[in-house]
Amino acid sequence: MDYIDYYKVLGVDKKATADDIKKAYRKLARKHHPDLNPNDAEAVKTFQQINEAHEVLSDPDKRKKYDQYGADWKHADQFEQARQQQRRQSSQQNPFGEGTHFSYSSEGDFSDFFSQMFGGAGSRSQANVKYKGQDFRAGVQLNLTEAYKTHQQTFNVNGKNIRITVQAGIEDGQEIKIKGYGGPGVNGGPNGDLFITFTIVNNTAFMRRGNDLYLNAPLDLYKAVLGGEETIDTIDGKVKLTIAPETQNGATVRLKGKGFPVYKTEGSFGDLYITWQLELPKNLSAKEKELFQQLASEASKK
């Protein structure tokens, strides 16, 4: 693998901050953009290298691997797996051959290691060692109303369309594993896995805490004092509630089973808590003000 010094490409020091890298990239990308350099093959090549350098150095995990493994940074996970396996078996035998040791220095010893590990000039025993492929990670964003129901999602990972079933009640930040949908194994080893992290965006008036939902609902003064009925929109439909006379501002009503579904537990739901927010009347007529004055006068006699 040809080694490209990404720091040199962007013209920054190896101790450059993320902000330094971003500024250098933007400056060079503008200078070498193909639109500003028509019919210039060299500018196109330089622009591609600038983008490649930025992609690696702007990602903390990729940058760490690049700093440690150089040209072989893409195989870092496989090397770590090999090194761990070597350590586990070292008490019995060296899986890479008697007296064979691997190390890395700035001269690039890893290139020799990967050449042997992936079927180069190594022995038959080395070529037959199986390694699990690289794990992939992806993110999926759902609205709260989408997370409320079990449904299917199709998305693209590394050029492959993957269709999964998202179970109702999935949590914000929850991660699931799809076995075998990562990178291909080495020497016939198993494929890596795909890890999907879900981000739940609340597109409703409800607040979610675990499997329970909370809602602040307006209640007019007259119903609060005299009682009556109020229709509330839950996340899956309307519910008519009875308002008790003299309901106080901030009073809470619990609706059992009207909350969020419990993950992978069909038919099980959390609760919905309604907190009444008293709304005072506006634009009172003269007659209404007179009636309120009478009420105030009566209240003062108690």
Side-chain angles (χ1 to χ4, degrees):
M1 179 186 297
D2 294 333
Y3 176 71
I4 300 176
D5 188 334
Y6 292 142
Y7 291 100
K8 186 176 181 180
V9 169
L10 294 182
V12 297
D13 185 83
K14 288 190 175 182
K15 295 181 180 180
T17 65
D19 192 49
D20 293 334
I21 291 171
K22 182 186 294 185
K23 289 179 180 178
Y25 165 71
R26 288 178 175 175
K27 180 179 178 180
L28 292 171
R30 284 195 296 267
K31 179 180 179 181
H32 297 281
H33 197 285
D35 290 346
L36 300 178
N37 299 273
N39 302 318
D40 189 339
E42 190 62 29
V44 172
K45 180 180 178 181
T46 301
F47 185 72
Q48 291 174 341
Q49 288 184 345
I50 291 168
N51 279 308
E52 183 179 335
H54 176 257
E55 180 185 354
V56 174
L57 298 185
S58 64
D59 184 307
D61 184 55
K62 291 180 180 178
R63 182 178 180 180
K64 181 180 178 181
K65 292 176 181 177
Y66 174 76
D67 288 344
Q68 186 174 0
Y69 300 115
D72 298 303
W73 71 272
K74 291 184 179 180
H75 300 294
D77 292 339
Q78 293 160 331
F79 171 77
E80 290 299 332
Q81 292 173 8
R83 185 164 63 178
Q84 290 172 10
Q85 181 171 339
Q86 183 185 30
R87 286 174 178 173
R88 287 195 297 267
Q89 298 181 0
S90 61
S91 60
Q92 299 177 0
Q93 62 179 355
N94 187 336
F96 299 99
E98 184 70 31
T100 303
H101 300 281
F102 298 107
S103 61
Y104 175 70
S105 68
S106 59
E107 285 74 28
D109 298 336
F110 273 129
S111 295
D112 296 333
F113 165 74
F114 284 116
S115 175
Q116 295 178 37
M117 189 175 78
F118 300 140
S123 67
R124 178 179 296 180
S125 62
Q126 293 165 357
N128 290 334
V129 176
K130 298 180 180 180
Y131 297 97
K132 180 182 177 182
Q134 182 180 5
D135 291 334
F136 289 163
R137 295 188 178 276
V140 173
Q141 180 174 296
L142 301 176
N143 289 330
L144 189 66
T145 48
E146 292 177 310
Y148 183 81
K149 296 181 178 181
T150 296
H151 66 284
Q152 292 190 323
Q153 284 269 336
T154 300
F155 53 98
N156 187 283
V157 175
N158 206 34
K160 180 187 297 184
N161 284 330
I162 298 175
R163 189 172 180 84
I164 65 170
T165 297
V166 180
Q167 297 291 331
I170 195 160
E171 293 273 0
D172 181 46
Q174 185 172 337
E175 183 180 77
I176 65 172
K177 181 175 78 171
I178 310 298
K179 188 175 177 62
Y181 277 84
V186 178
N187 293 334
N191 288 349
D193 301 319
L194 171 63
F195 292 86
I196 304 174
T197 301
F198 288 85
T199 299
I200 310 300
V201 177
N202 192 348
N203 62 328
T204 73
F206 300 95
M207 180 174 65
R208 180 186 181 187
R209 292 179 183 168
N211 298 315
D212 294 329
L213 294 175
Y214 295 80
L215 178 68
N216 292 328
L219 181 65
D220 70 61
L221 176 64
Y222 308 109
K223 285 183 182 178
V225 173
L226 302 175
E229 290 185 338
E230 189 74 22
T231 299
I232 295 295
D233 287 320
T234 71
I235 202 167
D236 68 340
K238 296 181 181 295
V239 172
K240 186 175 289 187
L241 300 179
T242 299
I243 309 300
E246 301 182 8
T247 294
Q248 299 297 303
N249 183 51
T252 298
V253 178
R254 175 191 174 205
L255 303 183
K256 186 175 177 61
K258 289 296 182 178
F260 220 70
V262 179
Y263 185 67
K264 287 189 174 180
T265 308
E266 188 174 352
S268 182
F269 293 81
D271 301 327
L272 171 60
Y273 293 85
I274 306 292
T275 299
W276 297 118
Q277 302 291 320
L278 202 60
E279 289 192 334
L280 299 179
K282 299 178 181 179
N283 303 318
L284 295 176
S285 66
K287 180 63 175 178
E288 288 173 324
K289 290 180 180 179
E290 180 183 348
L291 291 172
F292 271 108
Q293 288 172 350
Q294 292 177 13
L295 286 172
S297 177
E298 288 295 324
S300 66
K301 295 178 183 179
K302 295 182 179 179

